[in-house]
Amino acid sequence: MDVTSGIGVPQETLDAEIKSFFESAPPLKNRDHICEKLKEFIDRNLLPSGNGNARRVVCVTSGGTTVPLERRCVRHIDNFSSGHRGAASTEHFIKAGYAVIFLHRRRTYQPYCRSLPEDPLLECFEVTDESNIQVRQSDSEALTRAITEHHAAVAENLLLKLPFNTIFEYLQMLQMIAISMTSLGAQAMFYLAAAVSDFYVPWTSMAEHKIQSASGPLDIRLVQVPKMLSVLRKVWAPMAYCISFKLETDTKILLEKADMALKKYKMHMVVANELSTRKEEVVVVTSNEKISVCRDKTQVGTDVENPLIRLIVERHSAYIENPDL
Ligand code: 9Z3
């Protein structure tokens, strides 16, 4: 009998922590709208595509979750994640024929916009006379490509973008997405590149109003965010192909920690990356391999996500053929 969750915490304790997390989280404001959009997106992609099968759908998570410190939030704890990994991967998945649910942190990198200036609206256009603006010649190629590719992905129902800010929003939305993807069976994939907070302030113990500085030094108790990966694998989406990411700043412990995560959460693959080299190299860890994947440095403008997604698509195909292997 499985008495622990595989992460050193008894299963009942973990279940209770998860239940309490969801019960006490502030409900999503637009839950019904998200539900509708998800249903429509999945239903359309369940229809036979070019090869006569339902399309493969991947949920790409991207960017960092925030941890609010006050209910009427003025301040929050944040992390470094820019969302570049998620945005780049989304483009490569769509190119490979997948439909992508892009669960992303608001105002982080977006698919197809990565090569545009930081403030494209102000920087890519110029005023020609009092009432007219035009795209600057130097930006016209990049902008046309971004607009064309984005519109094509949306028009073909290959991209659904769902934004989050807080850890509460992220986990509730991930659960909704996972449950709505059940009908896809092994055609579904989770690519969990978001940097998810490990600690949070429970809603029930959070200050209502802005914390006052006059009250002196601040003591806040952060509790551990329950590990949702195992529940995602076991309960929410048991047939889906699941890939999580392991980030460390100390390379000496990176692969060992990735290996541990693979086993503890029963992931199909863990992508290990180190903070400073994450755009150049990652290591794909599976139950019997460690494959180093590098960006092609001989070509300008290439991403490490290009060979990474190629490898993942190959492995997902093998899994669809034989999910029990
Ligand atoms: C990653 O490791 C991503 O590759 C990065 C991408 C966040 C480093 P950027 O957004 O960076 O392109 O700037 N994501 C997962 C990080 C994480 O929180 N992993 C948890 C852990 O390491 C497991 S879920 O414990």
Side-chain angles (χ1 to χ4, degrees):
M1 193 174 71
D2 184 15
V3 287
T4 72
S5 57
I7 51 175
V9 178
Q11 185 63 52
E12 301 88 73
T13 313
L14 185 64
D15 289 348
E17 281 173 7
I18 291 172
K19 194 162 173 274
S20 137
F21 179 91
F22 283 116
E23 279 176 1
S24 65
L28 286 175
K29 289 196 186 82
N30 48 355
R31 192 178 186 95
D32 291 347
H33 182 61
I34 298 172
C35 232
E36 251 169 57
K37 289 217 286 197
L38 270 171
K39 186 173 172 345
E40 197 185 313
F41 188 76
I42 308 271
D43 283 351
R44 287 215 200 155
N45 282 299
L46 269 169
L47 298 172
S49 63
N51 61 8
N53 296 323
R55 198 177 275 283
R56 297 180 190 181
V57 180
V58 56
C59 169
V60 172
T61 71
S62 184
T65 58
T66 64
V67 170
L69 298 184
E70 299 120 341
R71 288 191 186 182
R72 302 192 193 191
C73 187
V74 174
R75 307 182 185 94
H76 61 243
I77 302 173
D78 205 347
N79 68 55
F80 73 96
S81 173
S82 68
H84 193 274
R85 170 88 73 225
S89 304
T90 294
E91 293 174 27
H92 290 290
F93 274 122
I94 291 176
K95 218 180 206 168
Y98 281 68
V100 179
I101 298 170
F102 183 60
L103 179 60
H104 65 280
R105 166 75 181 279
R106 278 197 176 83
R107 290 181 292 278
T108 52
Y109 275 111
Q110 298 294 300
Y112 306 115
C113 300
R114 293 178 296 131
S115 58
L116 297 182
E118 198 136 286
D119 201 340
L121 201 59
L122 297 179
E123 289 179 41
C124 292
F125 295 92
E126 59 193 1
V127 179
T128 51
D129 58 54
E130 250 172 41
S131 55
N132 282 311
I133 54 168
Q134 69 178 19
V135 177
R136 265 192 199 158
Q137 194 56 39
S138 55
D139 294 314
S140 125
E141 201 184 313
L143 201 56
T144 308
R145 195 172 346 102
I147 295 171
T148 311
E149 291 183 336
H150 171 79
H151 282 251
V154 173
E156 288 169 42
N157 217 43
L158 298 179
L159 180 59
L160 175 63
K161 299 212 280 184
L162 298 175
F164 65 82
N165 277 323
T166 69
I167 180 72
F168 301 112
E169 291 168 346
Y170 171 80
L171 287 174
Q172 290 183 81
M173 288 165 87
L174 183 65
Q175 183 189 38
M176 286 170 74
I177 294 169
I179 291 168
S180 70
M181 282 169 76
T182 313
S183 49
L184 292 156
Q187 302 276 107
M189 190 200 290
F190 284 84
Y191 179 89
L192 304 165
V196 181
S197 324
D198 283 325
F199 301 97
Y200 77 117
V201 183
W203 194 253
T204 43
S205 56
M206 197 183 295
E208 167 82 21
H209 294 283
K210 178 171 175 266
I211 296 168
Q212 296 298 308
S213 60
S215 317
L218 182 61
D219 277 327
I220 295 184
R221 188 175 156 76
L222 299 176
V223 307
Q224 239 173 328
V225 173
K227 297 290 181 191
M228 301 287 181
L229 289 185
S230 51
V231 80
L232 171 78
R233 269 293 284 131
K234 277 196 234 162
V235 184
W236 298 346
M239 283 301 289
Y241 192 74
C242 284
I243 303 168
S244 70
F245 280 71
K246 174 51 77 181
L247 172 77
E248 293 294 343
T249 51
D250 179 354
T251 46
K252 289 198 284 299
I253 60 168
L254 177 61
L255 294 184
E256 186 194 329
K257 295 290 290 281
D259 222 18
M260 278 166 60
L262 185 85
K263 293 185 181 116
K264 278 179 182 174
Y265 307 121
K266 300 199 166 50
M267 290 288 117
H268 296 100
M269 181 187 279
V270 174
V271 181
N273 55 173
E274 190 274 319
L275 186 65
S276 61
T277 58
R278 69 189 191 278
K279 288 193 175 176
E280 298 299 318
E281 183 190 5
V282 297
V283 178
V284 167
V285 178
T286 69
S287 56
N288 52 9
E289 295 159 301
K290 289 191 175 50
I291 307 166
S292 168
V293 178
C294 297
R295 185 176 75 80
D296 180 358
K297 294 182 187 66
T298 61
Q299 289 191 40
V300 272
T302 55
D303 316 305
V304 66
E305 285 80 9
N306 189 3
L308 174 63
I309 304 306
R310 243 194 339 259
L311 175 66
I312 290 174
V313 171
E314 246 175 65
R315 297 305 165 98
H316 188 205
S317 301
Y319 174 76
I320 292 170
E321 287 289 304
N322 195 347
D324 300 324
L325 268 190

